[in-house]
Amino acid sequence: YAAGSVGTGGFGTLPGLVLAYYLTDTLGVAPALGALVVLLPKVWDVAIDPFVGALSDAEARRRSTRTRLVALGAVTLPVGFLGMFAVPTGLAPGASAVWVAVAFVLATTSFSLFQVPYIALPADLTDGYRERTRLLSWRIAVLALAILAMGAGGPAIRDAAGGEHRSYLIMGAAIAALLVAGMLATVLLVGRTQRAVPDAAAPSGPWHGYAEGVRLLRRDAR
């Protein structure tokens, strides 16, 4: 189960470290436009997560598993991640910014498809408090190691490859391979769960997650 954090840790860390430099220093994108490219997928992630959560709970209720969404995210996230660093040479800065933004949004969508049901999996895998705690402890440990390893390893690969346009593609390919290995390990080893989500926990529709989130926010604000 914890192997999936290799994917979530890598994707959550590396773009924040290198993407702004890639956009401005390598692709020639204006800093303000580059900041917008980096910000847009973050806003999209906040917007899409409750919708994915509703889909995840509906799948768990119908099929006693969430792994279909997890698998879809696992196989598509590395493609979007690599696409962020695969901008064709000679493309104009504005077009390059659009390329990266589209790839980043698609990768973020895949990340949500994986991450949201992935975090919910321990509740489906076991009823035991100790077992859930053990699963979560391993997830956090692997996540911390992935953040450290890819946060340092990604720029190191880029610099070793020369630090130019092509070096980002090499770095993206190497990290994408690690992402897919970790995430698919979770998909293949966790397999089909047998504990269905209770009907009371299932959302009534995709918009339920947003409404419930607002309700909880207002409650906690008191």
Side-chain angles (χ1 to χ4, degrees), residues 41-74:
K42 306 297 184 182
V43 176
W44 175 245
D45 185 42
V46 172
I48 197 176
D49 277 357
F51 184 81
V52 174
L55 292 178
S56 175
D57 284 346
E59 181 190 15
R61 191 174 72 257
R62 289 194 307 267
R63 304 177 65 243
S64 297
T65 180
R66 301 175 191 269
T67 52
R68 185 168 60 176
L69 285 180
V70 175
L72 179 60

Side-chain angles (χ1 to χ4, degrees), residues 1-8 67 70-75 78 114 118 121 125 135 142 176-192:
Y1 169 72
S5 288
V6 172
T8 60
T67 52
V70 175
L72 179 60
V75 298
F114 180 88
Y118 171 68
L121 274 176
L125 294 174
L135 287 171
V142 172
L178 295 176
L179 300 184
V180 71
M183 293 187 294
L184 283 182
T186 290
V187 174
L188 297 175
L189 298 177
V190 168
R192 182 182 176 87

Side-chain angles (χ1 to χ4, degrees), residues 77-100:
L77 173 58
V79 177
F81 179 84
L82 181 58
M84 292 162 53
F85 301 103
V87 179
T89 56
L91 206 61
S96 297
V98 172
W99 178 294
V100 174

Side-chain angles (χ1 to χ4, degrees), residues 12-150:
T13 301
L14 198 55
L17 291 177
V18 303
L19 195 58
Y21 295 103
Y22 176 60
L23 286 164
T24 57
D25 294 1
T26 301
L27 302 180
V29 176
L33 181 56
L36 181 62
V37 169
V38 174
L39 176 63
L40 179 62
K42 306 297 184 182
V43 176
W44 175 245
D45 185 42
V46 172
I48 197 176
D49 277 357
F51 184 81
V52 174
L55 292 178
S56 175
D57 284 346
E59 181 190 15
R61 191 174 72 257
R62 289 194 307 267
R63 304 177 65 243
S64 297
T65 180
R66 301 175 191 269
T67 52
R68 185 168 60 176
L69 285 180
V70 175
L72 179 60
V75 298
T76 56
L77 173 58
V79 177
F81 179 84
L82 181 58
M84 292 162 53
F85 301 103
V87 179
T89 56
L91 206 61
S96 297
V98 172
W99 178 294
V100 174
V102 170
F104 201 177
V105 168
L106 292 175
T108 299
T109 303
S110 299
F111 176 77
S112 185
L113 290 173
F114 180 88
Q115 170 82 342
V116 173
Y118 171 68
I119 290 177
L121 274 176
D124 297 342
L125 294 174
T126 177
D127 276 328
Y129 171 79
R130 292 183 182 276
E131 288 80 3
R132 290 182 185 179
T133 301
R134 188 176 299 113
L135 287 171
L136 293 174
S137 297
W138 275 102
R139 180 176 74 82
I140 296 302
V142 172
L143 178 64
L145 290 174
I147 290 173
L148 292 172
M150 298 200 190

